[in-house]
Amino acid sequence: MKKSLQIKRTTLKLAQKTVKNYVPRWMIFTIDLFLCFLAVNTAFFFVSTLSPSGLSFLNITWEAGVILLTQCVFFFIFRSYHGLVRYSSFKDAIKQLQVTVCCVATVLIINHIDFYFFSHKLIYDAGILIYGFIAYSLLFFFRITVKRIYEILNHSNSKGIRKAYILGTSVTDVAMAEGLVSQNFNQFNIIGFISNDNNSTRNRIFNLPIYSIEEIKNSNYYSNSVIVSDQTLTRLKKSSKDTINELLELKIKIYKLPKIVDWDHTDFKNLKEIKIEDLLRRNPIKLNNKKLFQIYENKTVLVTGAAGSIGSEIVRQLIAFDPEKILLLDQAETPLHELTVELKRDHPHLKFEKIIANVRDKNRINQIFQTYLPEIVFHGAAYKHVPMMEDNPLESLSVNYKGTRILADLAIKYKAERFVFISTDKAVNPTNIMGASKRAAELYIQSLSKDLNTQVNFITTRFGNVLGSNGSVIPHFQRQIKNNGPVTVTHPEITRYFMTIDEACQLVLEAGAMGKGGEIYVFDMGKPVKIVDLAHQLIRLTGLTPNVDIKIEFTGLRPGEKLYEELLADKETTLPTHHNKIMIAKASHCFDQSKISLLHSLNSNIKDYKKEETLIDLKKLVPEYATAINKNEKDKSYYTKKRLQN
């Protein structure tokens, strides 16, 4: 008894191992041809029952060979043996039907030509039709049988299969459901659909029920998993309904399937839990790839801060435009090493240099420009933590202003084509040293572009917070949630503009390509997001309830922190560009000799570590620089009045 049970288990394991591997195409072709051989002999047998010469059981004749050769031709034309048999679908059934119909039609034509010239037929016309019916039935039955065996073997080896709904009832959602039913048996059991359309007249798809959100809320027996396609998620972002948050409030896990190009060749095991980036109500970005190729192709590109979240993503996106070489400059040794390991693994043919350097070290930066002669510079290296920089103002100015100045001057000296400076929304009406230092750097970049002798296109890009970047609020909240809270928010009214790293870097590349020199490009950041709402969503994404499972605490504004960020200064207006997400900030700043002198004086005092003199120069250069306390009181008063008016 035990021996018999052991044999069964061994057989099952071998079968499961077999179905996990792909069967070679030649083997599928051979099986299909053998099935057609059986169909031919069966057809000849049926025809022979009408012949007085007796029954014919095995026909290895030239007539049968012609029929099989014709079948082979259409196998090759339609490539019907190329698909994975275990994932056979309705499309595969149609393809087999096309192969069989074309073969039968062709054999009928050959039959009549043969009879016309030689008074002979391969087989009676009825026999050809019988062959077509049997051949199609065997080919279809073979695929359905393999698919069903694969399902059974996967079911027998799966534990804890999760029940799941499909969110949406569109054609895309139905196709996704069909694919999941075919491929993902060891993960999800699809039990129904959730409709966002209250006017839907259908109540079942694939014999599975369709529920509304209200029915899910009021049901005591619902699944704790929902699967949504990328297309449906994009539609939901534009909708006024907050369906995703409603599901998260029910502690339902939401899984997203990435964007699909071809449903027939999709690995549905790529399902990932939805992230906070997916919940931003933003439209996808369309780039002018032709223009980007013209600017970046075959160029040596220097990226400072290359190991950071923004810098490393700029590097990844630059690769698509075939630069001659990318210079990865950063002072952080370990992150730069990790980036180079990734590039060697994923892009073995990419030419790049890993450079450890500090942007404040003029001699070292000069050596880099002299050696590699970069044609395009993306300057992302900066100190960015507001409270830290409040305690270290000279360090902030030394990197953010002096470092930018060194790079910009060397870009002119070594005749670079473009210099793209990555600034921040905190440079607008700054209330902290970090923002003021970035604004001072913006002004220096603009002063250089005003010089008619400057051949470099100096371009500034300005955007808000980036989701998931190093040191940003998202990883901080995630760590707090992992440690069971509390999640700390500085103020219940604090808001910020957010975009994903991918979005920000795409727009930086686009703006860098379109700039003529001297522009400050402002990105469409969408609507500002309350940080406390972000905290609520992150807690719900983990399946927990805010202020029940995880407490949210308010700690008070930090030094230099604004309640509300801005993208444009009071005296600035915007001009449109060819890209609907990029605008030009038309600044009214006047560069007279006094301002130029202040820029030089600021640099000199930073170099000499004269803190008081440096801050005095900074205040004169950036007169809108105000303390955060005064700015926040003004903002609170303004927004309170606005709410009362509404």
Side-chain angles (χ1 to χ4, degrees), residues 359 379-383 396-409 419-424 426-428 430 432-449 458-462 518-520 589 591 595 598-600 602-603 606 617-618 621-622 624:
V359 294
H379 177 39
Y383 281 145
S396 176
L397 285 158
S398 181
V399 170
N400 295 354
Y401 175 73
K402 180 185 169 187
T404 303
R405 181 175 178 131
I406 288 170
L407 281 157
D409 289 345
F419 185 100
V420 183
F421 173 52
I422 299 171
S423 188
T424 171
K426 292 176 177 62
V428 182
N432 50 63
I433 286 291
M434 196 284 277
S437 66
K438 280 285 195 176
R439 179 57 180 158
E442 285 185 0
L443 294 174
Y444 186 72
I445 293 296
Q446 285 185 293
S447 72
L448 293 178
S449 67
F458 283 102
I459 299 148
T460 299
T461 61
R462 186 193 287 168
E519 305 97 336
I520 296 179
H589 201 285
F591 286 99
K595 293 294 182 183
L598 272 174
L599 288 168
H600 294 315
L602 178 65
N603 188 61
I606 293 170
D617 285 344
L618 182 64
L621 185 65
V622 188
E624 65 270 25

Side-chain angles (χ1 to χ4, degrees), residues 248-266:
L248 289 174
E249 286 174 3
L250 295 172
K251 297 188 177 181
I252 292 176
K253 287 273 187 183
I254 302 175
Y255 297 86
K256 187 186 83 165
L257 188 70
K259 192 172 182 180
I260 300 303
V261 178
D262 185 353
W263 289 102
D264 288 340
H265 299 89
T266 299

Side-chain angles (χ1 to χ4, degrees), residues 1-9:
M1 181 71 178
K2 285 184 178 179
K3 191 174 181 180
S4 175
L5 187 62
Q6 185 65 34
I7 290 170
K8 285 183 179 179
R9 286 178 178 172

Side-chain angles (χ1 to χ4, degrees), residues 5 104 113 177 285 316 319 339 358 411 438 443 466 576 622-623 633:
L5 187 62
V104 167
I113 292 172
I285 292 171
R316 293 184 191 100
I319 294 169
L339 176 62
N358 191 316
K438 280 285 195 176
L443 294 174
V466 176
V622 188
E633 288 300 321

Side-chain angles (χ1 to χ4, degrees), residues 454-489:
T454 300
Q455 300 299 312
V456 182
N457 285 340
F458 283 102
I459 299 148
T460 299
T461 61
R462 186 193 287 168
F463 52 90
N465 297 273
V466 176
L467 283 172
S469 63
N470 297 333
S472 72
V473 70
I474 303 300
H476 176 62
F477 283 169
Q478 287 171 334
R479 286 191 294 271
Q480 290 181 324
I481 293 167
K482 187 177 180 180
N483 294 326
N484 299 316
V487 172
T488 54
V489 181

Side-chain angles (χ1 to χ4, degrees), residues 326-548:
I326 302 179
L327 310 176
L328 314 175
L329 188 151
D330 208 295
Q331 65 172 345
E333 174 197 10
T334 301
L336 187 59
H337 169 72
E338 290 171 353
L339 176 62
T340 58
V341 168
E342 175 195 323
L343 294 176
K344 286 177 181 177
R345 181 191 67 227
D346 298 340
H347 307 280
H349 303 297
L350 177 68
K351 294 180 182 178
F352 66 88
E353 298 288 340
K354 44 187 183 293
I355 302 169
I356 297 292
N358 191 316
V359 294
R360 292 180 287 188
D361 187 343
K362 187 173 183 179
N363 291 334
R364 173 70 172 133
I365 301 300
N366 182 74
Q367 181 189 53
I368 293 164
F369 270 84
Q370 192 176 49
T371 303
Y372 299 106
L373 298 174
E375 295 155 284
I376 296 171
V377 179
F378 286 95
H379 177 39
Y383 281 145
K384 63 179 185 177
H385 292 284
V386 171
M388 187 79 74
M389 293 305 101
E390 288 299 291
D391 295 332
N392 300 274
L394 278 177
E395 287 299 301
S396 176
L397 285 158
S398 181
V399 170
N400 295 354
Y401 175 73
K402 180 185 169 187
T404 303
R405 181 175 178 131
I406 288 170
L407 281 157
D409 289 345
L410 289 172
I412 294 173
K413 179 180 177 181
Y414 290 98
K415 299 178 181 178
E417 295 175 11
R418 289 173 181 271
F419 185 100
V420 183
F421 173 52
I422 299 171
S423 188
T424 171
D425 57 356
K426 292 176 177 62
V428 182
N429 295 325
T431 60
N432 50 63
I433 286 291
M434 196 284 277
S437 66
K438 280 285 195 176
R439 179 57 180 158
E442 285 185 0
L443 294 174
Y444 186 72
I445 293 296
Q446 285 185 293
S447 72
L448 293 178
S449 67
K450 298 286 182 182
D451 187 346
L452 298 177
N453 296 319
T454 300
Q455 300 299 312
V456 182
N457 285 340
F458 283 102
I459 299 148
T460 299
T461 61
R462 186 193 287 168
F463 52 90
N465 297 273
V466 176
L467 283 172
S469 63
N470 297 333
S472 72
V473 70
I474 303 300
H476 176 62
F477 283 169
Q478 287 171 334
R479 286 191 294 271
Q480 290 181 324
I481 293 167
K482 187 177 180 180
N483 294 326
N484 299 316
V487 172
T488 54
V489 181
T490 57
H491 194 283
E493 293 297 321
I494 192 167
T495 65
R496 291 292 182 266
Y497 290 97
F498 284 101
M499 64 176 10
T500 64
I501 294 175
D502 179 64
E503 282 182 298
C505 295
Q506 285 184 66
L507 292 176
V508 167
L509 292 183
E510 182 78 26
M514 73 168 69
K516 303 297 183 184
E519 305 97 336
I520 296 179
Y521 286 105
V522 181
F523 299 163
D524 175 11
M525 299 289 296
K527 294 180 179 180
V529 178
K530 273 191 174 184
I531 300 299
V532 69
D533 291 342
L534 208 60
H536 277 86
Q537 286 184 322
L538 277 169
I539 293 170
R540 291 194 187 105
L541 281 172
T542 61
L544 302 173
T545 304
N547 292 318
V548 176

